[in-house]
Amino acid sequence: IKYLMSRKPVWVEDSKVHECAKCRKAFGIFVRKHHCRNCGRIFCNGCTQHSIVLPKFTRYYGKEPVRVCDTCYYSERSAAMKAKRNINVNKKTTPVKQRTNNNQ
């Protein structure tokens, strides 16, 4: 449900950023700006090498993987792995029937 309520992603304005948010490389002719589709900050190509599906933004980006910064990639991937692990744990832990002693 929280994914259905997600607001449109907000991007930092290009003209306000002159260096990569992670490595601080200055942008110019050979170092281009790339927005992270998750956090909206601006990074160089080297700091946005990953693409993932962002379920909370499928309304805007669809179900295809989109460019994200390294921080968002590892954060989203970690959250997805944790969720998957919780689902698997819930499947394995089924309630055990209590034994009754019929001899009493």
Side-chain angles (χ1 to χ4, degrees):
I1 293 176
K2 71 177 181 178
Y3 293 136
L4 298 175
M5 304 293 284
S6 291
R7 294 182 179 178
K8 186 175 181 179
V10 178
W11 285 12
V12 174
E13 193 175 317
D14 281 10
S15 63
K16 294 184 178 186
V17 180
H18 305 288
E19 62 183 20
C20 175
K22 183 177 181 188
C23 72
R24 302 293 180 213
K25 220 181 263 185
F27 293 121
I29 297 170
F30 299 107
V31 181
R32 308 240 358 238
K33 297 177 182 181
H34 299 280
H35 280 91
C36 171
R37 303 310 195 265
N38 190 48
C39 69
R41 293 172 31 206
I42 299 176
F43 300 87
C44 68
N45 185 58
C47 295
T48 55
Q49 290 289 304
H50 302 288
S51 294
I52 56 173
V53 175
L54 295 172
K56 64 184 172 185
F57 292 136
T58 54
R59 179 177 177 188
Y60 305 101
Y61 301 135
K63 294 181 180 179
E64 294 299 315
V66 293
R67 181 187 291 259
V68 292
C69 68
D70 294 346
T71 303
C72 288
Y73 174 77
Y74 291 111
S75 175
E76 291 290 321
R77 188 167 170 200
S78 174
M81 289 172 63
K82 189 175 184 179
K84 185 176 180 181
R85 205 170 30 245
N86 288 341
I87 289 169
N88 288 338
V89 167
N90 290 338
K91 285 181 181 177
K92 290 178 184 176
T93 57
T94 55
V96 177
K97 291 183 181 179
Q98 290 184 350
R99 294 183 183 174
T100 57
N101 190 347
N102 294 333
N103 296 338
Q104 290 182 353

